[in-house]
Amino acid sequence: MINPLKSKESIWNAMKSGVVKIALILVILPVFNAFSSPTVADRMIRGMIKDAANNAPLPGVNVILKGTQRGTTTDVNGKYELSIPDQDAQLVISFVGYLSQTIDVGSNSTLDITLRVDQKVLDEVVVVGYGTQSRRYVTGAVTKVDMKQTENLPNTNITQSLRGRVAGVQFTDSGRPGQGGSILIRGPRSLSGGNDPLIIVDGIMFNASINYLNPNDIESMEVLKDASAAAIYGSRAANGVILVTTKKGTTEKPTIRFNTFYGFSDWSKSVNLLNPERYIEKTLEMRRQLGLDADPAKITSYLAATEVPNYEAGQTVDPWKAISQKGRVSSYDLSVSGKTDKTNYFLSASITNEDGLIFDDRQKRLSVRSNIENQVTPWLTLGLNASFLKRDLSGLEVSPSDAYDISPYGTWYNENGSPTRWVVAEDQNSANPMYNSYFSKNEEIYYNLFTNVYALIDIPFINGLSYRLNYSPNYRADHNYNFTRQDPGRPDNIATASKFNREDFDWVQENILTYTRQLNNDHSFDATLLYGWNHRGVEATTATATQLTSDVLGWNNLGLGGILTNSSSASGQDGVSSMFRVNYRFKNRYLATFTVRRDGSSVFAANNKYATFPSASLAWVASEEGFIKKLDFISMLKVRLSYGAVGNQAINPYQSLSSSDITRYVFGDGGSTSVGVFTNRMANSNLKWETTYTTNAAIDFELFKNRIGGTIEAYNMNTRDLLVQRSLPTMTGFNSVWANLGATNNKGLELTLNTVNIQRGKLEWSSNFIFSANRNKIVHLYRSDTNGDGKEDDDLGNRWFIGKPMNLAFDYVIDGIYQQGENIPSGFKPGFVKLKDLNGDGKMNADDKTIIGQTGQPLYRWGITNNIHYGPFTFSVFLNAMQGWIAGFAQADPNSNFGGNYPARALNQFDNGWWTADNKSNTTPSLGYNNPYQHNYYFSRDFVRVQDVSLFYEVPAKFIQRAKLANLRISISGKNLATLTKWPGTDPESGGGAIGFPMPRTVAFGLNLGF
């Protein structure tokens, strides 16, 4: 009987190998035919190329014989000459800032050509929320992400396309498969209310993780950064908005595209642990610190009994290798799209598999999409955008924290191949990281069905008036099942099973009315009105069984448990929104946008469920003025100014209400269980919206015929009525209450610069540079001054300081290491850390703590992308950098609970060196230092990273036309190839410390073909 799984796998492998063979044949065979074809006599064509507007000659214009790599460029006088075949030929004329042309040569020997300026930068269409606009008319801070820059990279989620490519946007990747990382737009605003941006997919709020989106389905991404651009979404838009637009059909002929890549990953960096030799040195040095015998010849008597056989046999284990698996990533994406007079369609299916670097850390993702739009009548269009996705994160990944402190001489496996419970049996701090993965099973699966059904009605008899109805249900379900079977080597019953199930159902209904009117040659406007409702509902159940009498059925019969526990929950929230926006244009150079949105949300108190968010923005297309047109070097110049408010409702339902909980108690031995109900949360009937008010000023420019372009942007954001979970005195009976208090400020500068450095013949080199600087601070909190010093009190418990950044390190200052002969305080000795007495009172206490530096986000971010095109080849290099931030690295502490290591025990540790009587370090203490003040050790998280490198080859059309292919592209790419940093952890960007997951370095090969 045929095994269907093996049969399916063999078919799939055959398909993959067949694709590679086809690609090789398609490339090699046409090349052979080209060389064997008969030659044709050449002739010379000459001419001059000029600017169509002012008749000025254009130097450096590319003149290419279509279908070949043969070409030339015009000289300083705009003249060219090119040898072409003495037969029908076409010339492709292209120049930065001008519209390209394809011209039939015919029998001409002289051919003069004029080029017109390309206005595509101004006329490019961008999504602005509830519609689109020409970039010329955009008045807010809207940045369009160039998806073509990342289409050849092994990206498995769309957030990776934002990484270092959009000024003001910080994306940090966890490095794990299936994990999307975090996104921060223009710094943090909220202390407790959340700082995640709002995600909009095809015009609808997307409440699921952004990991649910297939990157190959995305046509464009826009980031709305200021209040004018984001205010149209009012509710939840305080942290910025990311607009995602999925693909549609573009050609009348059906287009079939197949994209695939396969990559390999390894560790880009691991924490430097003590190697076996250094581990022995640590053991001897620690004994010296304790005043014990430390004779290297007696080392076997100092090691744990289970370490000795491995030491004598020379058997060692690198814990990072022991918990690793081969990192792999693969993606297979197939789409069919097209359009007719009445119907537009895009259908796609995608499979992505990722194996992380840590054992049993993986993701499998299946997604399908159907975008269909049909013009039923001249005035009615119906559409459906639907996607289904399944993410499988099953597997109990090993925790790197369990491997961190394991002795290199430990024993990982029993003779029967099962993992030991303790790598060093005598020291039960060293749990075997592989133990749980061996005896446990996990199934973690997520489903998402996201749909938008819409109707577009062009109102008859009223030119320019249209109505759109959106209804978008979103169903999500996930479950997490766990089972631990009995370890035959243990006397206690560890057999346990649990099942967690959750369902989410959201829906959005919107009514949108749009009216567009051109009053005369000078005046035009468009107005948008919206009224809509939204709902979010969730319910979850957890059931657990311990001490199973049989582990045969796993989690499929929890009734076999000796102890059963269960819990369940449900919540819902509703919202209502109305919005009005008008865009006004005068002479197409003076632009204004006015927006007001009113939102209501059930999560707030009865008196404050509604809030209104207005905004206004102005723009001046200065390059349309006569006195600017005289400046030939300015192609486009636009000035923008905006001010507005946006809201944040990022708290859970019912937080403004008083709530109750239950407790169970047994009065006396053998008595029945009594259930008690008690109030566990204080109500706040005045809880209201957190609101951010933003001022934004910007200059957009294109210079030297669009050869240099970009944007300079400055902003100032004030957030008020912060949603904060405020601590309460114990005497109240409550720990905390949600309240509105305090204010924060964010200000920053952003620069985007695009340049065409070289465009000569077949060679073109372009660059993109982005830079952003952000400063945030807490303006005020409780307005209290308990010590009477005339300044508002800081909140030391939460590390919130007036006038300082929201995320920072507050600690003692290390001032070197005490050396022999110094004046050493009582209780200290040479080799201990010296701390600064900042207040000079001769004592070390909490009053000597100070702000060490900023954490959470860098002061500066920059990225630079270089793209080099030469004929059919394109080479791209992207550098990503973040600078001006620090983080604590507790593992640098050699011997304390704070650092988690004990050099006197059979445990490994971070190799940061240590002070000895012979090696008098002034930066690292001795192994005997016990850190009585529990201070941390801080390192810079600054880095410059070679983030993405790619090379692709676009097979020329004449080579693939015989195979009826529309295009064929072959690529090789690398991600996270090198990082320059002093951070000792696994990754400076994610802040991964000694117990964090590693960041993968990936090399991938890709194939893209279309029919």
Side-chain angles (χ1 to χ4, degrees):
M1 181 176 179
I2 297 176
N3 187 326
L5 295 177
K6 290 185 177 180
S7 176
K8 183 178 180 181
E9 183 179 11
S10 63
I11 293 173
W12 183 243
N13 291 333
M15 288 175 63
K16 289 192 291 183
S17 62
V19 168
V20 175
K21 292 177 182 178
I22 291 172
L24 291 174
I25 292 172
L26 291 174
V27 173
I28 295 173
L29 185 58
V31 171
F32 174 79
N33 291 338
F35 278 106
S36 61
S37 60
T39 60
V40 178
D42 288 350
R43 62 188 176 93
M44 193 66 68
I45 180 75
R46 297 178 177 85
M48 177 180 289
I49 301 179
K50 300 179 181 180
D51 186 309
N54 55 26
N55 213 34
L58 296 175
V61 178
N62 293 301
V63 182
I64 304 294
L65 180 64
K66 186 176 181 180
T68 73
Q69 302 305 313
R70 186 188 300 185
T72 186
T73 58
T74 56
D75 60 19
V76 293
N77 297 313
K79 296 181 179 180
Y80 73 94
E81 62 177 35
L82 179 65
S83 175
I84 63 173
D86 192 11
Q87 59 181 23
D88 292 340
Q90 290 181 311
L91 298 182
V92 178
I93 315 299
S94 62
F95 190 47
V96 176
Y98 288 83
L99 294 170
S100 299
Q101 294 187 42
T102 300
I103 299 175
D104 292 320
V105 176
S107 59
N108 294 316
S109 58
T110 301
L111 194 59
D112 294 334
I113 302 166
T114 58
L115 294 181
R116 290 180 298 158
V117 173
D118 186 1
Q119 296 293 331
K120 66 181 179 181
V121 175
L122 281 174
D123 295 334
E124 179 186 20
V125 174
V126 295
V127 179
V128 294
Y130 302 113
T132 60
Q133 263 188 326
S134 167
R135 184 177 291 279
R136 173 190 295 272
Y137 304 135
V138 172
T139 59
V142 181
T143 299
K144 186 168 185 174
V145 182
D146 187 357
M147 301 299 292
K148 291 188 178 298
Q149 286 191 358
T150 59
E151 65 181 355
N152 302 303
L153 301 175
N155 291 338
T156 55
N157 64 71
I158 66 171
T159 49
Q160 293 169 334
S161 300
L162 297 171
R163 196 180 202 172
R165 299 179 188 274
V166 179
V169 177
Q170 175 182 332
F171 169 68
T172 55
D173 195 346
S174 67
R176 296 185 58 194
Q179 311 300 318
S182 62
I183 306 172
L184 192 64
I185 298 177
R186 289 186 166 180
R189 299 119 162 109
S190 182
L191 294 175
S192 303
N195 288 290
D196 295 330
L198 176 64
I199 308 298
I200 303 292
V201 178
D202 291 330
I204 301 297
M205 285 187 289
F206 190 70
N207 293 320
S209 167
I210 203 167
N211 291 319
Y212 285 89
L213 300 174
N214 173 19
N216 292 299
D217 289 345
I218 308 305
E219 177 65 30
S220 68
M221 245 193 326
E222 280 82 7
V223 181
L224 312 184
K225 296 187 286 189
D226 74 335
S228 172
I232 195 169
Y233 291 105
S235 164
R236 300 167 56 198
N239 302 316
V241 181
I242 298 177
L243 303 180
V244 178
T245 304
T246 58
K247 293 180 178 178
K248 292 185 176 182
T250 57
T251 59
E252 185 171 349
K253 177 183 178 297
T255 300
I256 302 175
R257 295 193 181 277
F258 176 70
N259 300 300
T260 182
F261 64 79
Y262 189 92
F264 306 89
S265 303
D266 65 357
W267 291 52
S268 61
K269 187 179 186 298
S270 61
V271 175
N272 184 28
L273 299 178
L274 298 174
N275 62 29
E277 292 76 19
R278 292 281 289 165
Y279 179 79
I280 297 300
E281 290 180 28
K282 180 266 299 185
T283 304
L284 295 171
E285 177 58 26
M286 190 59 205
R287 291 183 65 85
R288 296 187 192 100
Q289 292 288 327
L290 296 173
L292 302 175
D293 179 43
D295 184 356
K298 301 178 181 178
I299 187 62
T300 54
S301 65
Y302 308 148
L303 296 174
T306 52
E307 290 181 297
V308 173
N310 293 326
Y311 173 79
E312 292 178 336
Q315 295 179 351
T316 62
V317 176
D318 181 342
W320 300 136
K321 292 183 179 179
I323 65 171
S324 296
Q325 66 183 10
K326 292 182 179 180
R328 296 188 178 93
V329 57
S330 62
S331 175
Y332 309 94
D333 182 87
L334 181 66
S335 67
V336 181
S337 63
K339 66 177 182 178
T340 65
D341 291 341
K342 302 294 184 181
T343 304
N344 188 300
Y345 59 92
F346 175 84
L347 311 173
S348 74
S350 176
I351 297 174
T352 300
N353 294 318
E354 289 183 88
D355 288 337
L357 298 173
I358 300 298
F359 181 78
D360 227 10
D361 192 20
R362 54 178 54 91
Q363 175 196 219
K364 296 179 180 179
R365 186 180 68 196
L366 167 67
S367 67
V368 293
R369 171 170 289 278
S370 174
N371 292 349
I372 300 175
E373 184 177 88
N374 182 260
Q375 186 177 1
V376 181
T377 69
W379 51 269
L380 174 63
T381 300
L382 300 178
L384 169 68
N385 294 338
S387 65
F388 172 78
L389 183 140
K390 175 185 176 182
R391 294 172 64 217
D392 188 345
L393 303 181
S394 300
L396 194 65
E397 67 276 0
V398 169
S399 172
S401 62
D402 291 339
Y404 168 70
D405 52 11
I406 290 180
S407 164
Y409 296 106
T411 301
W412 286 66
Y413 293 94
N414 298 308
E415 292 183 359
N416 64 1
S418 65
T420 57
R421 185 180 179 189
W422 311 104
V423 177
V424 177
E426 294 82 1
D427 195 322
Q428 297 189 357
N429 191 70
S430 55
N432 192 329
M434 308 299 290
Y435 184 83
N436 288 336
S437 293
Y438 181 82
F439 285 102
S440 300
K441 181 182 178 182
N442 166 263
E443 182 177 283
E444 182 180 358
I445 299 178
Y446 299 81
Y447 301 94
N448 181 33
L449 177 61
F450 182 71
T451 305
N452 180 27
V453 183
Y454 61 91
L456 295 170
I457 301 175
D458 293 325
I459 306 298
F461 313 116
I462 305 178
N463 190 25
L465 182 63
S466 63
Y467 167 75
R468 177 176 177 127
L469 171 65
N470 288 325
Y471 177 69
S472 179
N474 183 197
Y475 174 76
R476 302 186 299 279
D478 62 272
H479 67 256
N480 194 335
Y481 300 164
N482 291 278
F483 165 63
T484 300
R485 59 190 172 91
Q486 182 62 35
D487 179 358
R490 294 179 60 172
D492 54 325
N493 186 347
I494 66 168
T496 303
S498 66
K499 302 183 79 171
F500 169 80
N501 287 280
R502 170 172 169 157
E503 288 187 345
D504 293 67
F505 181 68
D506 310 336
W507 56 260
V508 176
Q509 181 179 333
E510 295 176 328
N511 301 275
I512 305 168
L513 199 63
T514 303
Y515 181 62
T516 302
R517 182 72 183 270
Q518 182 79 36
L519 299 179
N520 52 43
N521 292 334
D522 292 336
H523 302 275
S524 62
F525 74 92
D526 62 79
T528 303
L529 295 96
L530 171 139
Y531 190 81
W533 307 266
N534 62 82
H535 170 81
R536 298 184 67 179
V538 58
E539 60 179 35
T541 302
T542 302
T544 303
T546 59
Q547 298 182 6
L548 298 176
T549 56
S550 172
D551 58 12
V552 175
L553 298 179
W555 54 63
N556 292 315
N557 189 347
L558 299 183
L560 296 175
I563 301 176
L564 305 178
T565 58
N566 60 72
S567 64
S568 61
S569 63
S571 66
Q573 67 181 75
D574 292 278
V576 61
S577 303
S578 56
M579 182 274 298
F580 172 71
R581 176 183 65 189
V582 60
N583 295 307
Y584 170 74
R585 299 185 295 276
F586 175 62
K587 293 183 178 296
N588 284 341
R589 72 184 73 157
Y590 308 108
L591 316 172
T593 299
F594 302 96
T595 304
V596 59
R597 175 158 175 152
R598 183 168 175 80
D599 281 292
S601 176
S602 63
V603 302
F604 293 109
N607 299 332
N608 296 291
K609 289 190 179 298
Y610 287 86
T612 302
F613 307 104
S615 74
S617 58
L618 304 172
W620 173 39
V621 186
S623 53
E624 292 298 303
E625 302 289 354
F627 66 93
I628 297 292
K629 288 183 176 181
K630 294 178 182 179
L631 304 175
D632 293 340
F633 69 94
I634 297 180
S635 304
M636 185 277 291
L637 181 65
K638 184 167 71 170
V639 181
R640 294 184 279 112
L641 180 66
S642 68
Y643 179 80
V646 281
N648 190 350
Q649 63 166 17
I651 59 173
N652 293 324
Y654 319 123
Q655 298 302 305
S656 66
L657 305 177
S658 175
S659 64
S660 300
D661 203 348
I662 63 171
T663 185
R664 299 177 184 273
Y665 191 78
V666 177
F667 293 91
D669 294 339
S672 60
T673 300
S674 299
V675 177
V677 180
F678 64 96
T679 303
N680 70 339
R681 185 171 62 226
M682 180 185 291
N684 181 356
S685 59
N686 294 314
L687 192 67
K688 60 183 178 180
W689 296 76
E690 180 178 288
T691 307
T692 297
Y693 302 85
T694 302
T695 302
N696 194 91
I699 297 176
D700 303 319
F701 59 91
E702 297 288 337
L703 307 176
F704 305 109
K705 305 299 184 184
N706 298 341
R707 204 172 186 108
I708 299 176
T711 298
I712 301 174
E713 205 139 19
Y715 60 88
N716 185 59
M717 299 188 295
N718 290 297
T719 303
R720 304 170 189 170
D721 300 320
L722 302 176
L723 290 166
V724 176
Q725 200 163 6
R726 184 174 185 175
S727 299
L728 295 175
T730 306
M731 65 185 71
T732 65
F734 302 97
N735 294 323
S736 61
V737 62
W738 277 99
N740 295 103
L741 55 88
T744 62
N745 174 263
N746 255 277
K747 60 183 61 176
L749 178 69
E750 298 170 357
L751 169 66
T752 300
L753 189 64
N754 303 304
T755 64
V756 178
N757 308 311
I758 296 176
Q759 189 178 53
R760 185 174 303 158
K762 295 181 289 183
L763 177 64
E764 180 179 319
W765 169 29
S766 61
S767 300
N768 168 259
F769 174 76
I770 65 105
F771 170 85
S772 60
N774 175 268
R775 302 290 184 271
N776 72 85
K777 66 179 181 180
I778 298 173
V779 177
H780 72 84
L781 289 170
Y782 316 112
R783 298 193 184 279
S784 61
D785 181 14
T786 56
N787 58 6
D789 63 355
K791 296 187 295 185
E792 183 177 350
D793 297 334
D794 299 320
D795 185 338
L796 296 179
N798 287 304
R799 297 294 191 265
W800 293 338
F801 298 89
I802 308 302
K804 301 298 181 181
M806 289 174 239
N807 301 303
L808 45 77
F810 181 74
D811 210 335
Y812 295 98
V813 177
I814 296 177
D815 193 26
I817 306 297
Y818 284 112
Q819 305 294 334
Q820 293 170 339
E822 288 191 52
N823 183 18
I824 302 177
S826 176
F828 283 65
K829 62 182 181 179
F832 280 24
V833 169
K834 183 192 305 182
L835 302 177
K836 280 189 177 182
D837 179 11
L838 294 181
N839 61 7
D841 62 359
K843 298 181 295 184
M844 290 303 303
N845 52 41
D847 293 336
D848 293 303
K849 289 186 176 182
T850 189
I851 295 172
I852 305 297
Q854 179 168 310
T855 63
Q857 66 156 351
L859 294 175
Y860 309 100
R861 309 181 194 98
W862 60 267
I864 184 168
T865 303
N866 281 288
N867 295 300
I868 300 174
H869 301 274
Y870 187 81
F873 294 94
T874 298
F875 178 68
S876 177
V877 179
F878 167 48
L879 300 181
N880 183 29
M882 298 185 185
Q883 296 171 330
W885 56 339
I886 65 169
F889 191 77
Q891 287 72 26
D893 190 311
N895 182 24
S896 73
N897 293 334
F898 194 74
N901 286 314
Y902 309 88
R905 298 168 60 179
L907 301 173
N908 207 338
Q909 65 185 65
F910 169 55
D911 191 355
N912 196 35
W914 51 77
W915 183 96
T916 68
D918 297 325
N919 179 26
K920 298 178 175 60
S921 171
N922 198 42
T923 57
T924 307
S926 68
L927 293 176
Y929 177 59
N930 58 9
N931 197 349
Y933 294 101
Q934 295 291 279
H935 63 81
N936 208 338
Y937 296 77
Y938 297 92
F939 294 83
S940 169
R941 285 176 65 181
D942 294 0
F943 71 90
V944 177
R945 169 175 288 158
V946 182
Q947 190 72 64
D948 294 306
V949 178
S950 65
L951 173 66
F952 73 82
Y953 173 67
E954 191 80 44
V955 180
K958 66 178 183 179
F959 293 155
I960 62 175
Q961 287 175 347
R962 298 178 185 179
K964 306 300 182 183
L965 291 178
N967 71 283
L968 175 61
R969 178 187 300 154
I970 303 169
S971 65
I972 179 173
S973 57
K975 182 176 290 294
N976 193 30
L977 296 183
T979 304
L980 302 178
T981 184
K982 294 182 179 179
W983 176 248
T986 53
D987 183 68
E989 183 178 16
S990 64
I995 58 177
F997 282 78
M999 185 65 64
R1001 179 194 292 117
T1002 303
V1003 175
F1005 302 88
L1007 180 69
N1008 180 316
L1009 57 90
F1011 300 89

